[in-house]
Amino acid sequence: MTAQPGAGIPTGPSGLTGSETDGTDEVADLFRALGRQIKVARERAGLSQKELGDRLGYGEETISSVERARRTPQPELLVAVDALLECGGLLASAAEDVERAKTRRRVRHPEWFRDYARLETEAVELRYFANQAVPGLFQTSDYARAVFASRQPFFDEETIEQRVAARMDRQALMTRWPPPTVSATIQESILRQPFGGPEVQRGQLEQLLRAGRLRHVEIQVMPTTSEEHAGMGGPFTLLTPKGKPQVAYLEVQHISRLITDQEEVRVLAAKHGSIRGQALTPRESLRLIEKMLGDL
């Protein structure tokens, strides 16, 4: 499948076609209401966002994003907050509503992206090579917002926030059980670029460190000093859905291509193996990211 140039550019004053906006206002209202309830319960308990996140096993950025309705309040988070802060079932009872809302909200992905997004929800294995931006599944909301805000032609503010929320929703697959195995090889120059500003860069590096310490995730950095580089053809993703053959996904200059031809996929898989062999090991990569943080 190849999308034509411009196929992903939304139309209409809201930045989406009519069929894509159905029900999204109600979904946004639900998530805002739950975010406010979590904030009220947290403040009543005298906890900061970081303290609540630490007790529940979530990052401060996740709690902040949920309270501001920039990230979907996942059912397991609602149940955990309800139990910890003794909300009497108020939040836990909304878990089913959130699951239904997530189904409705997924239609906000641009048409050209939906085939990939559907396969991604079934993934048992994901492999990334990135030399333009941090892969979406690892992005913080602030980094994602900077990505969408820099797009040309420009998105309006509503569309930017919708795209950020959709990207954060996709990250739920990283915490499901069983999780997919994920590896990402990222060009060092991406990590050193203060995209969105120094604070956004810092938050993104911290997010990568957290992700790289998960048992099912391996992050590798392709150093700028490497004399060999099999990834000069550009970024790509390899995805293996459960019970289905591996596929590849390419996206450049708003043109996307989902590759299902097994010979083409095999070539990219071999290339990905070479890239990983030329990059720093996962342990070396985390040490380099730690050093970058220390230098900021």
Side-chain angles (χ1 to χ4, degrees), residues 95-145:
E96 290 186 8
D97 295 327
V98 169
E99 286 292 357
R100 286 192 292 269
K102 284 166 60 179
T103 300
R104 297 173 69 186
R105 205 172 200 188
R106 286 188 192 110
V107 303
R108 296 178 314 152
H109 289 304
E111 184 177 353
W112 53 265
F113 186 74
R114 288 179 197 158
D115 285 343
Y116 174 83
R118 279 192 292 269
L119 289 173
E120 188 179 66
T121 62
E122 307 170 11
V124 295
E125 183 179 82
L126 289 160
R127 302 283 181 256
Y128 298 97
F129 169 62
N131 65 358
Q132 296 176 349
V134 172
L137 287 186
F138 297 109
Q139 291 179 9
T140 65
S141 58
D142 288 336
Y143 187 96
R145 189 168 293 104

Side-chain angles (χ1 to χ4, degrees), residues 207-236:
Q207 172 79 342
L208 287 171
L209 281 179
R210 286 192 293 269
R213 291 171 180 145
L214 298 173
R215 287 187 298 163
H216 63 285
V217 176
E218 287 188 336
I219 292 176
Q220 294 179 252
V221 176
M222 175 66 80
T224 55
T225 56
S226 177
E227 296 181 0
E228 297 179 308
H229 199 322
M232 296 303 291
F236 59 91

Side-chain angles (χ1 to χ4, degrees), residues 25-102:
D25 287 345
E26 292 85 350
V27 170
D29 288 343
L30 170 63
F31 292 172
R32 276 193 292 269
L34 290 172
R36 286 194 296 268
Q37 290 170 7
I38 291 172
K39 181 179 180 181
V40 168
R42 173 181 60 78
E43 291 179 342
R44 184 187 62 192
L47 298 176
S48 67
Q49 291 174 339
K50 184 178 187 307
E51 289 169 334
L52 178 59
D54 287 345
R55 294 194 185 189
L56 297 176
Y58 290 87
E60 178 182 2
E61 193 269 341
T62 297
I63 302 300
S64 174
S65 294
V66 168
E67 289 187 354
R68 292 182 293 168
R70 289 179 171 174
R71 186 168 188 162
T72 299
Q74 298 298 329
E76 56 270 23
L77 174 62
L78 292 174
V79 172
V81 172
D82 195 297
L84 178 67
L85 302 184
E86 299 180 351
C87 297
L90 178 65
L91 294 174
S93 64
E96 290 186 8
D97 295 327
V98 169
E99 286 292 357
R100 286 192 292 269
K102 284 166 60 179

